[in-house]
Amino acid sequence: MYVLPLLSGGLTLVGAMMVVTCPVAVHAVLYLVVTLLSLAMVLAMLGAQFAAALEIIIYAGAIMVLFVFVIMMLNLGQPDRDREKEWLRPRAWIGPGLLAVVACGELLYGLPTLSDPDGAVFPIDARDVGLSLFGTYVLMVELASFLLLAGLVTAFHIGRTLRERP
Amino acid sequence: MAALLPLVVVWPLAATVIVFLSAGRIKGRSAGILATGAVGLSAMTGGVLAAGFMSGAVTYPLHVTLWEWMRVPGFSATIAFALDPVSLVMIAVVTIVGFLIHLYAIGYMAADPGSARFFGCMTLFVAAMLVLVLASDLLCLFIGWEGVGLCSYLLIGFWYDSPANTAAARKAFYITRIGDVAMLCGLLMMATATASLQIDGLLFAVTAGQLSPAVMTGSALLLLTGALAKSAQIPFQSWLPDAMAGPTPTSALIHAATMVTAGVYLLARLHGLFAAAAPAMAIMAAIGMLTLLVAACTALVQSDLKRILAWSTISQLGYMYLALGVGAWQAALFHLVTHACFKALLFLCAGAIIARVDHEQDIFRMGGLRRFMPGVTAAFVIGAGALAALPLVTAGFYSKEMILSAVWRGQPVLTPDFILSGHLLWGGALFGALLTALYIFRCVFLVFYGQEKTVPTGRTRWVMAVPLGCLAFLSVFVGCVEMPGDIAPVHLFTRFVDPAGMAFHPHEPVWLLLAGAITPVAGAGIAWIVWGRSGPVTRTIPETGGGTDDLLPVMPLRFVVRITRYDLPDRLAAAAGWMTRATSRMMMRARRAALHLAAERTAMVGREGTVVLVRMQNGRVRWYAGWIVAGLGAALAWAMLS
Amino acid sequence: MTAFPFNAALLLAALLFSIGLAGVLVRRNLVFMLMSLDIMLNAAGLVFVAAGARWQDASGQVMFLMILALAASETAVGLAIILCLHAHGRPSLDADTGNLLRG
């Protein structure tokens, strides 16, 4: 009954763990793709097929390809792997791990709906999302376009200085 | 007829697009002709609209909705134009003066390699200003408002290879940006209160009392801040004199037709809102008064020809704000029109002079120029006369007289207990008129009279001379459309822009009019005595930038100089410095005495605390992230436990 | 398809967020920090979608789209900075040396 939810949720968590702990960048990217795909599965099971599709296309597709390209250009090798391992000694985990555990505990403690037995979810199709997006939230869409434009210009600018300087 | 309205904006915009898209293939002269032609077409379109208006073929206000920008629950915005008498007047000013300046610029910028870019920016400037004056929706107006700011940045920094120019451009942009943010806040405030930014709907909501007084006063003050920054009024005055870094036609455009007048237009357009927000009106009047005096005093001691004109613009805008502050928006608008004519004339004359004397801008290094350039001299004297408001023969006289009489009657109410006296404001404005005549005729006498110090070269070309002639003509005769009741009962302007407000001209004492007429003449006379009779002292080049005391042998003028030197930000900084010094001196004494221990402790705590803070700011991103998480954890814990 | 319980989605999001958080704090390589940030953003998006599904409101997915746009621009700018640093003699991409960066 709960095989599929358990599988996809567990896969998400395992993938995320591997991203955080893996010393090799390309492997981490592949784990991140796995995480995102299983997260897309979760989204689909929550009745958000549109969001799931976007997660696959934009996140696991476009953004991850960006990561792969950059890692290719960085030309990482064995020294980098060793350095990563050096940086990931158990001692380095103490502070961040503590902070993360505290934050996680607080989040779980602070979510009262976790004890809410009535957890039914309703599917929302792309039509509703579209109507909402270009109705109520049209101003926000404009703002998001500004943001993307700013991101584009910034990335272009930084990349240009990269090319022109020797 | 309604279809013609967007065309007014489309012509200059099209010229901009063509010039910019040609990417340098259209060379300077053809770009100039294209730009001038586009603005001319715009002026003609405006003329057709005005003719339709006069003949009654069109009834105002003429509304044209181009498209609906956005509609969300609780707010809608349209790109819409509206034509009414006020915007018609503004179209006339912007396009006609803009056309003459463009024509002049063909000659002025002929030798400049970047003149195509220049004309592209200039037409965009005109287009943005036209959007601003035609918009019937405040959000649409804001587009024009920002466009004007952008173009001023581009044009002030036109010669971008000099760091001083780009610094001036940035300064103008930043300072007006402060005002823009305030204005945006004001717009948002009104948008949340009325769900739309349609000007008509807004003013209706104000008169119908749908807005709470707090909202009205708050948004009026915020809009006022925006307008003050745009019009370079105190405390935002410092960008305009620096804006002289741009080419002279740009200065003329900024000062006469576009940019600085935008603030006045906005306040005149929303006068209904401001009438309901009395404190904002009183503040407006007070700032206008202060600005006109301070700027006039500053103009009196400047030695750069263009800077004198820049400060005079600030001063004249102060008159407009004063008029707006006492509710006489018609007078402010009328002064805007006449000011546009004579200030454009003065700037273009200054450009012609500067171009002929090898780009020398110091008036003390000029002199005797009337023998070399009689035409420019005549035009400049006409402009100077109009600026000084010499009685009867100049346009400036009629508009300034209208403002003065309105100020005499006005009673701006700051709070019910504190009412500014109209008579006092009138006295200040009259003193400002005296100073105006003084500084501009100082300029005239130093530049055109006396012995020659530089010999001009070349000739003023006809494309530059024709606009000067036209503007000189306008500077003399445009005032005839509105006259004080005691001279002739001509009230065409008031009747045109405000048919309902004809009760605006009650009878007033004749001596007011006489005082307003005699003061400028007196000012010009004093200027002749001090600088005109070629007294050897006053005509020499000042030793240092600030050493102007020697130039003023007449005793009362020393007082004026002292006021002028009263640079407020400087003084504030100095006061702050003084207070710091005083405080530290006190601390020192205290330490020597009984408070020694306490001071030591305070210093120690400060020092140690600083060390901890410095440790936190180690520049490591991961530490910052850690601090954020710690803060998040603390906030969550506090939220859950409390 | 089996429905995913709302509570489980919240649990998953909280865990995912914490994992991403630990990643941001523990990794010194900027590439890994960016990836961890993406995990955190995804956790936030999951909460939005779950809440939208729980209360049957399309706003949840709209917010998810906004997060997507945010993540896209963040990643683009971040990766551009990484490339820039790499080309300017900082091949280790160590975030802890960023405090010595000039200009």
Side-chain angles (χ1 to χ4, degrees), chain B residues 239-389:
Chain B
W239 69 267
L240 194 55
D242 284 7
M244 293 299 105
T248 305
T250 305
S251 310
L253 203 56
I254 288 179
H255 286 259
T258 59
M259 191 76 183
V260 293
T261 54
V264 178
Y265 168 77
L266 177 74
L267 301 187
R269 166 64 76 195
L270 295 176
H271 62 89
L273 170 68
F274 282 91
M281 293 275 274
I283 291 172
M284 205 190 296
I287 288 181
M289 183 81 248
L290 195 64
T291 309
L292 84 88
L293 285 178
V294 169
C297 290
T298 314
L300 197 51
V301 291
Q302 296 289 319
S303 61
D304 184 318
L305 180 56
K306 282 174 79 178
R307 275 185 181 268
I308 294 174
L309 295 179
W311 283 106
S312 85
T313 302
I314 298 176
S315 172
Q316 296 304 304
L317 285 164
Y319 274 105
M320 294 178 211
Y321 275 80
L322 181 59
L324 289 167
V326 297
W329 60 273
Q330 306 92 335
L333 208 60
F334 186 42
H335 196 55
L336 191 158
V337 174
T338 57
H339 174 258
C341 298
F342 63 71
K343 191 48 65 70
L345 174 63
L346 285 172
F347 263 111
L348 297 186
C349 285
I353 295 166
I354 290 167
R356 298 254 319 255
V357 295
D358 198 24
H359 293 276
E360 178 58 63
Q361 301 198 4
D362 192 333
I363 52 172
F364 289 101
R365 295 202 169 83
M366 302 175 187
L369 290 182
R370 79 195 141 107
R371 286 184 277 281
F372 300 100
M373 36 177 82
V376 175
T377 306
F380 196 92
V381 169
I382 289 172
L387 174 63

Side-chain angles (χ1 to χ4, degrees), chain A residues 76-95:
Chain A
L76 304 170
Q78 188 64 37
D80 299 281
R81 192 175 307 178
D82 296 340
R83 194 176 51 234
E84 287 297 328
K85 279 190 181 146
E86 169 66 21
W87 282 348
L88 286 176
R89 279 168 310 164
R91 269 194 66 195
W93 281 93
I94 299 173

Side-chain angles (χ1 to χ4, degrees), chain B residues 592-640:
Chain B
R592 278 196 203 115
L595 288 173
H596 177 85
L597 197 66
E600 282 287 291
R601 282 285 154 82
T602 318
M604 196 189 73
V605 169
R607 205 163 48 229
E608 300 300 315
T610 318
V611 168
V612 171
L613 287 176
V614 165
R615 284 266 169 80
M616 282 171 71
Q617 307 289 324
N618 59 0
R620 294 186 179 181
V621 186
R622 298 194 307 144
W623 278 93
Y624 292 167
W627 285 118
I628 292 174
V629 176
L632 170 84
L636 275 178
W638 185 70
M640 281 184 295

